[in-house]
Amino acid sequence: MGKEGLGLEITELRLGLPGANSDSGHRCDVMIDKNEKKRAFSEILEDDVEEGNRKKTTIKSQVVGWPPVCSYRKKNSFSDKDGSAKASKMYVKVSMDGAPFLRKIDLGMHEGYSHLAKALEKLFGEALRNAESCEFVPIYEDKDGDWMLVGDVPWEMFMESCKRLRIMKRADAKGFGVLRSKEALN
Amino acid sequence: MNYFPDEVLEHVFDFITSHKDRNSVSLVCKSWYKIERYSRQRVFIGNCYSISPERLIARFPGLKSLTLKGKPHFADFNLVPHDWGGFVYPWIKALAKSRIGLEELRLKRMVVSDESLELLSKSFVNFKSLVLVSCEGFTTDGLAAIAANCRFLRELDLQENEVDDHRGHWLSCFPESCTSLISLNFACLRGEVNLGALERLVSRSPNLKSLRLNRAVPLDTLQKLLMRAPQLVDLGIGSYVHDPFSEAYNKLKIAIQRCKSIRSLSGFLEVAPHCMSAIYPICGNLTFLNLSYAPGLHGNKLMKLIQHCRKLQRLWILDCIGDKGLGVVALTCKELQELRVFPSDPFEAENAAVTEEGLVLVSAGCPKLNSLLYFCQQMTNAALITVAKNCPNFIRFRLCILDPMKPDPVTNQPLDEGFGAIVQSCKGLKRLSLSGHLTDQVFLYIGMYAEQLEMLSIAFAANSDKGMLYVLNGCKKLRKLEIRDCPFGDAALLEDVGKYETMRSLWMSSCEVTLGGCKSVAEKMPSLNVEIIDESEQMEFNLDDKQKVDKMYLYRTLVGHRKDAPEYVWIL
């Protein structure tokens, strides 16, 4: 499910034109500028369009704490639909090079890499816009403390082993063995 | 000067029960202060950091009942980091050391450890009542201590807590000699309970009036419990799944019919909707019905159930009831005062089944409506204006349009006029939560008309500082203000810092206030704690005053900076 179609492209977070943001009728100015010309994670989104059709649910808004439903209620009223009673929240910190604040994201709320990508884009839209056409690489720290490229393993495995996320500038990636893994896959 | 002996005054004060009134009484003169403080038995502390346990004990030696609230309200929505604070242990420790004969403890949004519960259970001989709402940090081991040691326990009420369920035998820890239970609510526990122990406990509790079961209690146990406790007034059903042709179901029907006193019904944590007819006999007397944890109940079955509930005063429901279902409520529940409609799928605004239509129907059919919590897909100004006209008695009005900043879908206008109509019409409005696309204009209305407003929650609204200023200048009775994702900055924050001393607290997150602004407040108002919550570790490296603050929480206090704040909380 998660990884097969993604391959290398997940590493390329190019800042391209926003896709038709048709699913969100709202302006959500605080999160992303409506006129934002750049979009990160574009490759991930394109790849997952077919997958997206399978899943009826789209995660509309990754705003933390919205809608204002208390966490106890969230855990206990909505889980029954597809039998996915997510036992615990999987909040991980997400940092982005150049952004002033870290954010937190609940991995359990996402269906796969593409949804994660959309969410990260919403969280860091402003910072991405200000970053002036750098390219970014999403990496994560796993249980062993190693920094890994996002996208290699199936989504469930990723959810379980990811401790924190970082959106790193490609320029800084050299020391992280990213280029090496690119070559290995070739 | 007193014209009456102290005993007479004390006797008179006994009739004054509201906290506000007793506080007022204590301010009249020194003599009244003294009499009041010695006779005071119940104390409410809305912010556990506003006062210390030692000062509480010193002032009210006759304390029997204490209510404490810890974390700010937005902690419910994961905006406050896990270990921010609100620990009850220091309170229990101090009370235990003193000679206070504590009988009742009610906690909301506090961190309660097993150690605290154990200390509590062993320190107060006459302890009778423990109510925990939205708390965390304890396990069923702590509950076992309460059960085992509180010999005269009357009430154990656990509402929406995060409890680590060790699946132990906490229920079995109630000794055979414990026969005093009046209220037992363990609906929020997720684990198995010893059903035999539960049955025996209920059997030996003739005064049991309120029983709320968790999911692990199956139907045939429910039936046995009801046979033993036909005097119940409040029932929370755990699992309601069974075969309608079974013996158990027939027995249940008989058992329920014997329960002529049930006025309040909740739970249905697991439900087989085709078996609701067994419940009909008690529906006619219900004043409170809470189906907000029963997503399995919807459509016609739900509507049929509601049609039997003619005396309902409070209804908590999921939005799968739909506008049509709310129409049924409007036709049936003429005594309705409080309605809460929760989202059954909070992230799927398209599927949200209620809109402005449902609300308008209820407002037209239920003239006594005074309290509302409504999660919906959309709202229009026209609807709000109609609701304001139909129901001028709102005390609480909380509207949450699932899609943040969504305008009126018919006119594409902000919802300023709609909410304006609500505040203008509902002169007794005490609590208001806003949502949808809103400009500074709505705050102008709130400042002008919401004279009784005590609590205001704002998200993704306003254009400028003016919005916040209208509210701070206009709402004289404001006690709690919580704001997220609004363009309010230092100018608004600093305009009248004295105001914050008249309030319990102010929360601002993802706004435009800067570190410098917050520092300024802290400097000018030593009676406030100004907390900056910053988990990003940026604060350590970048102490630039111009830096925007992600989360600020300030509150008045008599005891200065708290000592238990975690690393990422800076108290200025």
Side-chain angles (χ1 to χ4, degrees):
Chain A
M1 185 189 78
K3 72 147 183 163
E4 289 80 11
L6 291 168
L8 280 175
E9 287 105 331
I10 195 150
T11 68
E12 305 229 319
L13 302 179
R14 280 199 245 112
L15 304 174
L17 282 166
N21 228 0
S22 54
D23 58 331
S24 56
H26 64 267
R27 291 180 295 120
C28 220
D29 289 332
V30 267
M31 304 310 292
I32 323 172
D33 189 323
K34 206 166 58 161
N35 299 315
E36 183 186 322
K37 295 272 187 265
K38 304 169 190 167
R39 186 182 70 161
F41 310 105
S42 52
E43 302 304 317
I44 303 173
L45 289 171
E46 278 162 22
D47 254 15
D48 231 29
V49 152
E50 296 93 53
E51 294 229 340
N53 290 336
R54 276 205 292 134
K55 305 229 167 29
K56 210 181 124 192
T57 53
T58 54
I59 312 287
K60 249 184 114 103
S61 163
Q62 292 311 316
V63 182
V64 173
W66 192 269
V69 177
C70 78
S71 43
Y72 174 86
R73 187 172 282 283
K74 269 198 192 144
K75 283 183 201 165
N76 289 284
S77 344
F78 317 116
S79 53
D80 289 4
K81 271 202 193 151
D82 42 356
S84 63
K86 301 215 155 77
S88 57
K89 285 197 168 293
M90 301 176 189
Y91 272 106
V92 296
K93 290 184 187 175
V94 187
S95 62
M96 180 178 145
D97 292 356
F101 300 110
L102 271 66
R103 302 302 299 264
K104 263 202 172 154
I105 203 164
D106 179 5
L107 294 179
M109 299 277 16
H110 299 272
E111 309 284 341
Y113 286 112
S114 66
H115 287 127
L116 175 66
K118 270 191 196 160
L120 291 176
E121 187 184 350
K122 281 197 175 168
L123 282 182
F124 291 105
E126 169 145 347
L128 285 165
R129 190 165 39 95
N130 291 335
E132 294 173 1
S133 70
C134 295
E135 285 182 2
F136 290 88
V137 181
I139 57 174
Y140 70 99
E141 186 181 357
D142 75 355
K143 281 184 178 158
D144 301 323
D146 296 318
W147 285 93
M148 316 285 291
L149 201 54
V150 170
D152 287 337
V153 300
W155 173 254
E156 284 79 16
M157 199 185 290
F158 165 72
M159 270 207 301
E160 264 156 55
S161 55
C162 171
K163 274 176 37 194
R164 59 188 296 172
L165 277 161
R166 178 177 160 192
I167 303 169
M168 192 172 62
K169 285 193 184 137
R170 177 170 282 283
D172 295 339
K174 295 195 177 105
F176 281 80
V178 169
L179 293 180
R180 235 178 291 136
S181 60
K182 235 183 142 161
E183 285 156 7
L185 283 161
N186 279 336
Chain B
M1 178 150 57
N2 280 330
Y3 297 105
F4 301 109
D6 289 0
E7 298 79 35
V8 174
L9 276 173
E10 211 178 293
H11 184 65
V12 172
F13 291 171
D14 274 349
F15 292 99
I16 301 170
T17 49
S18 102
H19 295 292
K20 269 192 191 153
D21 290 341
R22 288 204 73 115
N23 292 343
S24 305
V25 158
S26 69
L27 294 174
V28 167
C29 63
K30 276 196 182 139
S31 163
W32 281 35
Y33 177 89
K34 188 174 136 221
I35 298 169
E36 198 281 322
R37 77 174 249 259
Y38 279 111
S39 64
R40 177 100 84 147
Q41 295 187 340
R42 316 181 67 88
V43 174
F44 169 86
I45 296 176
N47 174 4
C48 65
Y49 290 118
S50 62
I51 191 73
S52 71
E54 289 75 23
R55 284 179 66 162
L56 171 75
I57 293 165
R59 180 169 170 191
F60 299 115
L63 182 68
K64 290 214 165 76
S65 163
L66 176 62
T67 303
L68 278 173
K69 291 188 177 183
K71 300 184 194 182
H73 176 231
F74 276 1
D76 283 352
F77 318 131
N78 294 324
L79 289 177
V80 176
H82 187 68
D83 46 352
W84 169 86
F87 307 104
V88 77
Y89 186 76
W91 290 84
I92 297 180
K93 185 161 157 214
L95 287 161
K97 259 200 243 161
S98 75
R99 291 160 74 179
I100 300 272
L102 194 69
E103 293 184 13
E104 179 177 282
L105 186 62
R106 309 165 72 96
L107 306 177
K108 186 166 185 180
R109 279 188 220 104
M110 294 200 70
V111 178
V112 181
S113 61
D114 283 346
E115 198 186 5
S116 316
L117 291 176
E118 202 174 319
L119 183 60
L120 177 70
S121 73
K122 292 184 175 156
S123 309
F124 306 103
V125 174
N126 282 324
F127 193 75
K128 295 193 172 70
S129 169
L130 180 63
V131 179
L132 302 178
V133 180
S134 300
C135 296
E136 52 167 348
F138 61 102
T139 77
T140 44
D141 294 348
L143 298 177
I146 296 288
N149 302 324
C150 299
R151 295 195 308 154
F152 304 113
L153 195 69
R154 290 197 199 155
E155 180 175 24
L156 178 60
D157 185 358
L158 308 171
Q159 297 175 33
E160 304 192 344
N161 302 290
E162 300 283 353
V163 185
D164 210 353
D165 200 323
H166 290 171
R167 291 166 175 74
H169 306 288
W170 69 276
L171 259 180
S172 321
C173 292
F174 283 102
E176 288 300 314
S177 55
C178 174
T179 58
S180 47
L181 271 183
I182 297 179
S183 167
L184 177 64
N185 172 7
F186 59 94
C188 65
L189 296 185
R190 291 183 223 200
E192 306 296 317
V193 288
N194 185 327
L195 299 175
L198 176 60
E199 287 173 40
R200 288 189 295 278
L201 179 62
V202 169
S203 295
R204 64 176 187 276
S205 303
N207 297 320
L208 194 67
K209 292 281 191 292
S210 169
L211 179 64
R212 296 194 185 187
L213 309 167
N214 77 349
R215 210 176 170 125
V217 179
L219 194 99
D220 55 307
T221 305
L222 172 66
Q223 171 264 121
K224 290 182 198 160
L225 295 172
L226 291 179
M227 290 300 285
R228 288 170 169 80
Q231 76 282 3
L232 283 178
V233 171
D234 169 27
L235 174 64
I237 291 180
S239 172
Y240 193 76
V241 177
H242 52 84
D243 169 5
F245 302 108
S246 65
E247 185 60 27
Y249 184 62
N250 285 327
K251 285 190 185 168
L252 179 71
K253 281 203 239 188
I254 297 169
I256 290 185
Q257 279 174 355
R258 293 178 70 223
C259 297
K260 303 210 185 293
S261 306
I262 294 183
R263 297 288 173 269
S264 160
L265 186 61
S266 60
F268 296 95
L269 306 176
E270 258 180 5
V271 60
H274 46 278
C275 304
M276 296 310 287
S277 54
I279 305 290
Y280 294 163
I282 53 172
C283 287
N285 287 325
L286 289 180
T287 55
F288 177 41
L289 179 61
N290 180 358
L291 297 174
S292 63
Y293 285 103
L297 195 55
H298 49 260
N300 287 330
K301 308 288 183 204
L302 176 57
M303 289 201 242
K304 266 193 102 171
L305 182 69
I306 295 196
Q307 276 168 332
H308 285 84
C309 302
R310 304 200 152 270
K311 292 199 189 153
L312 220 49
Q313 293 173 13
R314 298 166 60 211
L315 176 62
W316 293 23
I317 198 88
L318 289 171
D319 64 3
C320 48
I321 191 175
D323 287 332
K324 204 166 140 214
L326 289 177
V328 173
V329 172
L331 286 173
T332 312
C333 309
K334 296 301 181 189
E335 301 298 313
L336 198 68
Q337 295 173 28
E338 175 178 322
L339 175 66
R340 297 195 190 193
V341 181
F342 295 95
S344 45
D345 186 347
F347 299 110
E348 264 300 293
E350 283 108 17
N351 292 347
V354 299
T355 68
E356 76 277 9
E357 289 178 18
L359 183 59
V360 169
L361 287 171
V362 174
S363 75
C366 309
K368 295 189 183 177
L369 197 62
N370 62 38
S371 176
L372 182 75
L373 173 61
Y374 197 73
F375 286 83
C376 58
Q377 187 197 340
Q378 62 182 49
M379 186 52 57
T380 64
N381 282 310
L384 284 173
I385 291 168
T386 305
V387 169
K389 238 188 284 188
N390 290 339
C391 297
N393 298 318
F394 274 114
I395 299 174
R396 272 169 245 111
F397 193 88
R398 297 156 68 189
L399 188 71
C400 178
I401 302 166
L402 288 168
D403 201 349
M405 299 184 298
K406 186 167 178 161
D408 178 331
V410 172
T411 63
N412 229 30
Q413 292 298 302
L415 291 172
D416 302 334
E417 298 305 311
F419 280 105
I422 294 285
V423 292
Q424 196 173 354
S425 165
C426 304
K427 308 221 186 302
L429 194 67
K430 287 191 180 170
R431 182 169 179 185
L432 178 64
S433 299
L434 306 168
S435 61
H437 179 32
L438 297 163
T439 72
D440 289 343
Q441 185 69 12
V442 72
F443 299 105
L444 175 68
Y445 292 141
I446 292 173
M448 262 167 67
Y449 297 113
E451 290 174 7
Q452 303 300 320
L453 197 65
E454 296 180 7
M455 181 170 177
L456 180 62
S457 310
I458 310 171
F460 302 106
N463 313 112
S464 73
D465 285 334
K466 281 201 237 157
M468 185 166 164
L469 288 171
Y470 290 141
V471 171
L472 291 176
N473 290 333
C475 300
K476 301 291 177 214
K477 296 206 175 169
L478 197 62
R479 291 192 298 118
K480 286 182 278 180
L481 181 57
E482 45 186 27
I483 304 170
R484 63 164 295 180
D485 293 277
C486 294
F488 301 143
D490 293 342
L493 180 68
L494 295 171
E495 168 87 1
D496 177 12
V497 292
K499 170 89 177 170
Y500 307 132
E501 215 174 29
T502 70
M503 293 166 54
R504 184 188 297 172
S505 64
L506 168 66
W507 168 281
M508 293 180 75
S509 59
S510 305
C511 295
E512 305 286 315
V513 293
T514 67
L515 180 57
C518 296
K519 279 187 187 169
S520 197
V521 177
E523 259 168 46
K524 293 183 184 161
M525 300 293 297
S527 58
L528 301 176
N529 275 354
V530 180
E531 296 193 6
I532 308 294
I533 300 167
D534 177 35
E535 290 173 285
S536 70
E537 295 148 35
Q538 292 292 321
M539 295 288 290
E540 284 191 41
F541 304 111
N542 185 2
L543 293 172
D544 177 9
D545 277 4
K546 293 210 194 57
Q547 190 185 321
K548 292 208 190 124
V549 159
D550 191 32
K551 292 173 185 167
M552 179 204 73
Y553 179 52
L554 66 79
Y555 50 89
R556 68 179 174 194
T557 177
L558 293 173
V559 289
H561 292 185
R562 60 183 174 114
K563 309 279 187 301
D564 61 358
E567 272 184 351
Y568 53 79
V569 172
W570 276 263
I571 308 182
L572 300 177

